[in-house]
Amino acid sequence: MDRVNALDPPDALESFVALRTEEGRALLAALRDHSPAEELATATRLRRDHPAALVSAALGQARLRQRAVAKFGAEDAYRMFFTPNGVEQATRTAVATYRAERFSALGVRSVADLCCGIGGDAIALARAGISVLAVDRDPLTAEVARENAAALGLSALIEVRCADVTGIDTAPYDAVFVDPARRGGRGRIFDPEAYSPPLSWAIEAARTPAHAALKIAPGVPHEAVPDDAEAEWISDGGDVKEAVLWFGTAPRAIRATLLPGPHTLTGTGLPDPAPGPVGRYLYEPDGAVVRSHLVAEVAEQVGGRLIDETIAYITADGLHPTPYATAYEITDRIPFGLKRLKALLREREVGILTVKKRGSAVEPEELRRRMKLQGRNSATVFLTRVAGAPTILIGHPVTAGG
């Protein structure tokens, strides 16, 4: 099978230049709605009238643009250019916009965006009225960032420089944003000192200006957060996207921010709530709340308790809506046992099952397969522990208005 590559070395920069020609742009416009399943047939047809290398590059770029819609929206994604790593690592627009608004609220008017990638954060900063120096050491990535700024009409606010970020003088800028590369040739990098540049260098760079933000992996241990930094975990649509260390804001503060909104919960140093019996309602905290260790703050909001001292599910007898957790009304609690669960679901005529788990080794897909569901009703099953005992809770989400 003829596999189409998207701006891959060694001819990546040359292919990108070709895509910016009139012929290349016309090809990309024609491929906007093409089906990846028909890529081979499409390539064969287009190569009758266009150079093979250009067709391969255009098909690959079209595929990247389709993937980028989820992060950038269709209006921007189909005007921008991408690299495979750029799509994978770029900040989605909602998160970048929120961060840019925080910078703007701090009075920041200029930012040195170090490790800018294809320019997602630089674009959001510029749209917030902030002038940006966007730096990346990879020549292709820098060219893509420069083209994206031009394509979106932001060249006047975004200067793109191809350089090693460790040699950049950030003194002229109000703030610094650093997004170290956390992926290498073998995939995701877990050792912060193996980031490019290393986390220790990024932290020192962030301490230089009056304000700074350092993007890190959401799995960072809390003990790794510097004492002079504020740590913020951000989720978008319920998915945890990143953690950010802020300098020059509120040292030692812990925040969980949920998008859209934004809704921001700030830690107050509450101890973990004591576990207690399962009440009428179960609250599932957002992932950013769990990552930021702010479950206790949510439990206080809803007047709840944990179902187990090691499980981040909150239970309460009353319904107290909160943006920081999804509420479920619990109808059944049974000891863990698939046979009994299957019988109960059959009795309730459950044909649509949502499976959630914390503290259980059972895989949701395997459970659904074994239940052999039939029926017109739906239910949510929680595979978890209650007071140390493997337990199944059954319920349904609480809709607006109860």
Side-chain angles (χ1 to χ4, degrees), residues 266-331:
T266 302
T268 57
L270 290 176
D272 291 338
V278 176
R280 181 177 177 182
Y281 297 99
L282 186 77
Y283 294 84
E284 179 186 27
D286 182 272
V289 171
V290 176
R291 291 279 194 177
S292 58
H293 299 179
L294 298 183
V295 174
E297 278 74 6
V298 175
E300 183 180 57
Q301 283 188 3
V302 303
R305 54 199 175 267
L306 298 180
I307 64 170
D308 183 280
E309 62 182 8
T310 64
I311 302 295
Y313 283 139
I314 301 166
T315 186
D317 302 313
L319 180 62
H320 303 279
T322 173
Y324 304 110
T326 302
Y328 297 83
E329 185 172 11
I330 299 302
T331 57

Side-chain angles (χ1 to χ4, degrees), residues 160-174:
V160 178
R161 191 179 302 174
C162 182
D164 186 328
V165 298
T166 61
I168 297 297
D169 177 13
T170 61
Y173 301 90
D174 297 340

Side-chain angles (χ1 to χ4, degrees), residues 89 115 137 178-184 189 191-192 194-198:
Q89 298 179 26
C115 310
R137 69 178 182 180
V178 192
D179 182 7
R182 295 180 298 280
R183 287 184 179 272
I189 298 171
D191 177 9
Y195 290 174
S196 180

Side-chain angles (χ1 to χ4, degrees), residues 2 6 46 51 62 78 82 91 99 119-120 140 159 186 198 255 264 279 285 292 297 373 386:
D2 182 13
L46 291 175
Y78 285 110
F82 301 94
T91 304
R99 183 164 40 242
L140 172 61
E159 175 195 348
R186 297 184 178 180
R255 294 159 56 108
T264 296
S292 58
E297 278 74 6
L373 300 168
V386 174

